[in-house]
Amino acid sequence: MTGPVGRFDSLRLDLSSTVDRVADELRRAVFDGELESGTPLREVALASSLGVSRPTVREALTVLVAEGLATREPNRGVSVTSPDPDSVRDICRARLVLEGSGVRRWPDAGDRLRDDVRTSLVHYTRAVHAGASYQELNERHLAFHVSLVGLTDSPRLVAMAESLMVELKLALAQVDRIRRNAHDQADSHTALVMLLERGDVDGASVFLARHLADAETSILEALGL
């Protein structure tokens, strides 16, 4: 005979599944541009639109806040995160330090770490040519940059890079959507890896610095910051 605890466990699993679906739909709407930066995410309106309860929406919004896609402010509720120009500049500077360290480690990195970079590039370029969603392109794009940091073979530096990418995720997704330049980005990433494959670490370092500087400018201009 099933006791009360068993019944409640089942209910929580159903709720969790619904929360995940709501969070997925909100992510899709953010990355596809249906929900722009600064858009208020009202629990009542979302619950009505999605046909779910307010507590379910509340939990889904908590997930998005944790991911950096939404921001919760006292007395103002939750809204889609708006990139801050000073933060964008600072993140790009930090990325150069982390990713630059990885690029310079290419000659000494093991085959596994170099293969991670190659594999990340393949996944990204395939997604671009397959016309993947902006959300998938964003994930593949950022995974490639994290793989560069992985060349340092330092879990702490990789964790730092992943944290930065969470902050940058929304801004980069909006730039890709606005400019529709995923093919150009794939070609740029391929050129960087080709420099590394040829052993031109200095050239790759210069290329990366220019790439990240261009990314900073693109983000700030595309988002009107």
Side-chain angles (χ1 to χ4, degrees), residues 93-136:
R93 286 194 295 268
R95 287 181 64 195
L96 179 58
V97 173
L98 293 173
E99 295 177 36
S101 296
V103 164
R104 287 188 292 275
R105 284 283 301 168
W106 176 270
D108 302 314
D111 290 338
R112 177 181 61 83
L113 298 177
R114 288 196 293 266
D115 282 344
D116 285 345
V117 174
R118 297 174 182 125
T119 300
S120 294
L121 177 63
V122 168
H123 287 164
Y124 179 44
T125 54
R126 283 179 178 171
V128 169
H129 292 294
S133 67
Y134 289 114
Q135 183 173 352
E136 182 179 351

Side-chain angles (χ1 to χ4, degrees), residues 103-175:
V103 164
R104 287 188 292 275
R105 284 283 301 168
W106 176 270
D108 302 314
D111 290 338
R112 177 181 61 83
L113 298 177
R114 288 196 293 266
D115 282 344
D116 285 345
V117 174
R118 297 174 182 125
T119 300
S120 294
L121 177 63
V122 168
H123 287 164
Y124 179 44
T125 54
R126 283 179 178 171
V128 169
H129 292 294
S133 67
Y134 289 114
Q135 183 173 352
E136 182 179 351
L137 289 175
N138 193 248
E139 296 291 344
R140 299 296 189 189
H141 183 183
L142 296 179
F144 171 78
H145 283 279
V146 171
S147 75
L148 294 178
V149 183
L151 293 168
T152 63
D153 200 19
S154 168
R156 288 178 175 80
L157 292 181
V158 169
M160 292 170 64
E162 289 174 340
S163 177
L164 289 174
M165 296 311 175
V166 168
E167 294 186 63
L168 198 60
K169 182 188 299 184
L170 180 57
L172 278 180
Q174 291 180 329
V175 170

Side-chain angles (χ1 to χ4, degrees), residues 160-215:
M160 292 170 64
E162 289 174 340
S163 177
L164 289 174
M165 296 311 175
V166 168
E167 294 186 63
L168 198 60
K169 182 188 299 184
L170 180 57
L172 278 180
Q174 291 180 329
V175 170
D176 286 344
R177 176 171 51 78
I178 292 169
R179 297 201 168 191
R180 301 181 185 274
N181 63 346
H183 281 278
D184 293 341
Q185 290 293 322
D187 291 344
S188 178
H189 290 65
T190 300
L192 173 61
V193 174
M194 289 179 65
L195 286 169
L196 291 172
E197 297 283 17
R198 291 200 297 265
D200 187 0
V201 175
D202 289 340
S205 297
V206 172
F207 188 98
L208 176 67
R210 184 169 62 248
H211 175 77
L212 294 180
D214 289 345

Side-chain angles (χ1 to χ4, degrees), residues 20-100:
D20 290 341
R21 290 197 298 271
V22 171
D24 284 342
E25 176 60 11
L26 291 175
R27 287 191 202 95
R28 183 203 62 75
V30 168
F31 283 111
D32 285 351
E34 294 174 19
L35 296 174
E36 297 282 359
S37 294
T39 300
L41 300 173
R42 308 297 188 195
E43 290 181 9
V44 173
L46 289 172
S48 175
S49 176
L50 296 171
V52 298
S53 67
R54 284 187 65 185
T56 297
V57 170
R58 191 175 303 122
E59 288 195 44
L61 292 177
T62 297
V63 172
L64 264 64
V65 169
E67 294 176 349
L69 297 181
T71 303
R72 190 187 305 276
E73 297 182 66
N75 303 318
R76 298 187 64 181
V78 179
S79 60
V80 179
T81 297
S82 297
D84 173 72
D86 290 335
S87 294
V88 169
R89 296 186 186 96
D90 194 36
I91 290 170
C92 289
R93 286 194 295 268
R95 287 181 64 195
L96 179 58
V97 173
L98 293 173
E99 295 177 36

